[in-house]
């Protein structure tokens, strides 16, 4: 166990913060990162590793998904699910910050982090679909298409971001999500694409009609973002080809 206190570790992280990534939306930057910073300081004091933080994040998310699957939608159930998802997301931020406290991360840790991210993005919407089918009057309605579309949108967006950065890295170009390029205005405009906002709307799970309206709105906004981003990413990659010619 490290001798450094939680408050000292927190201050060390706070003083070493870099600019946020250009594509980082507001909740992730101004709320989730700060919760994650506190959790990282606690984890550092307790002697946990970044991989431990990633596994804790996955456990919180998995617990939320199990509740969605097995428990009839209710106000209290939605609050519990939202809290678990929010904590899972905060621990996801904590693993990288904990790695910085310990002097740097590892390739295997980065792989595990991205693997868990891909799992949660693919599964959360499919779990919503199954929960709506099992537990609600919406089982034979067009609402069931929404989580299918949302799952495709978020998985493709995640893959597109990783692929874009991978291809840029092959030619020595800075990542699309490099630190230091973000602004407050940009972060606020991107809030609808924030996974943290998706976590929060599950507080409406006990009021399914309201939840589905909000959930569908997020799906449409994320779909619009993907279309615009895909055009931008393709043009960037094409420009790299032209510069190499």
């Amino acid at each position: 166990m490290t001798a450094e206190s939680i408050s000292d570790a927190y201050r060390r992280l706070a003083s070493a913060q870099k600019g946020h990534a250009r594509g980082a939306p507001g909740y992730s930057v101004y709320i989730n990162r700060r919760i994650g910073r506190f959790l990282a300081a606690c984890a550092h004091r307790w002697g946990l590793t970044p991989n431990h933080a990633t596994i804790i994040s996955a456990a919180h998310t998995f617990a939320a998904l199990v509740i969605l699957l097995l428990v009839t939608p209710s106000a209290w159930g939605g609050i519990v699910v939202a809290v678990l998802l929010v904590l899972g997301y905060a621990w996801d931020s904590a693993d990288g910050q904990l790695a910085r406290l310990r002097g740097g991360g590892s390739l295997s840790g980065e792989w595990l982090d991205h693997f868990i991210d891909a799992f949660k993005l693919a599964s959360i919407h499919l779990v919503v679909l199954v929960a709506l089918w099992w537990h609600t009057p919406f089982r034979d309605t067009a609402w069931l298409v929404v989580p299918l579309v949302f799952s495709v949108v978020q998985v493709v967006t995640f893959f597109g971001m990783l692929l874009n950065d991978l291809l840029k890295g092959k030619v020595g170009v800075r990542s699309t999500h490099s630190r230091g390029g973000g602004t407050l205005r940009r972060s606020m405009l991107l809030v609808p694409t924030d996974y943290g906002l998706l976590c929060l709307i599950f507080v409406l799970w006990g009021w399914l009609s309201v939840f589905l309206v909000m959930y569908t709105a997020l799906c449409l906004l994320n779909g619009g973002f993907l279309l615009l981003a895909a055009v931008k990413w393709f043009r960037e990659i094409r420009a790299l080809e032209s510069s190499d010619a």
Side-chain angles (χ1 to χ4, degrees):
M1 179 178 290
T2 178
E4 187 175 25
S5 69
I6 292 174
S7 59
D8 287 341
Y10 185 89
R11 282 194 293 270
R12 186 151 64 92
L13 270 176
S15 64
Q17 291 297 310
K18 300 178 181 179
H20 59 81
R22 291 186 61 220
Y27 177 89
S28 295
V29 173
Y30 301 109
I31 299 177
N32 193 61
R33 182 192 285 185
R34 294 179 183 180
I35 300 173
R37 190 184 307 160
F38 173 74
L39 294 176
C42 292
H44 186 58
R45 177 71 178 122
W46 299 333
L48 301 180
T49 68
N51 283 353
H52 289 145
T54 302
I55 292 170
I56 293 171
S57 169
H60 279 84
T61 301
F62 182 76
L65 299 184
V66 169
I67 292 173
L68 284 174
L69 277 176
L70 300 183
V71 178
T72 302
S74 64
W76 73 265
I79 293 172
V80 171
V81 167
V83 169
L84 287 170
L85 289 174
V86 165
L87 286 174
Y89 192 35
W91 276 105
D92 184 33
S93 174
D95 61 10
Q97 299 193 63
L98 180 58
R100 290 174 60 191
L101 277 174
R102 294 168 59 92
S106 65
L107 287 177
S108 60
E110 186 173 0
W111 179 92
L112 181 63
D113 185 34
H114 288 323
F115 184 86
I116 297 299
D117 286 344
F119 172 82
K120 74 183 181 186
L121 288 176
S123 60
I124 188 169
H125 302 292
L126 300 183
V127 167
V128 169
L129 171 64
V130 175
L132 290 173
W133 176 265
W134 278 352
H135 302 300
T136 78
F138 298 99
R139 63 176 295 161
D140 292 319
T141 69
W143 289 109
L144 298 184
V145 176
V146 179
L148 286 174
V149 173
F150 213 156
S151 181
V152 171
V153 167
Q154 290 214 302
V155 169
V156 173
T157 301
F158 184 66
F159 173 78
M161 288 179 176
L162 292 180
L163 180 61
N164 200 41
D165 290 346
L166 176 66
L167 294 176
K168 285 185 173 184
K170 288 180 66 175
V171 295
V173 176
R174 290 180 66 191
S175 164
T176 302
H177 296 85
S178 57
R179 300 284 176 180
T183 64
L184 176 61
R185 181 180 178 184
R186 182 184 179 91
S187 293
M188 292 300 103
L189 286 174
L190 291 173
V191 163
T193 69
D194 203 317
Y195 177 76
L197 181 58
L198 176 63
C199 297
L200 289 173
I201 70 166
F202 280 93
V203 298
L204 301 172
W205 188 240
W207 300 271
L208 280 174
S209 296
V210 180
F211 171 83
L212 285 171
V213 170
M214 294 294 296
Y215 183 75
T216 301
L218 282 185
C219 178
L220 293 173
L221 290 169
N222 277 266
F225 169 81
L226 175 58
L227 289 175
L228 294 173
V231 172
K232 178 178 181 292
W233 294 335
F234 181 77
R235 288 175 176 172
E236 288 175 347
I237 299 303
R238 198 166 190 178
L240 291 178
E241 291 179 327
S242 301
S243 64
D244 288 339

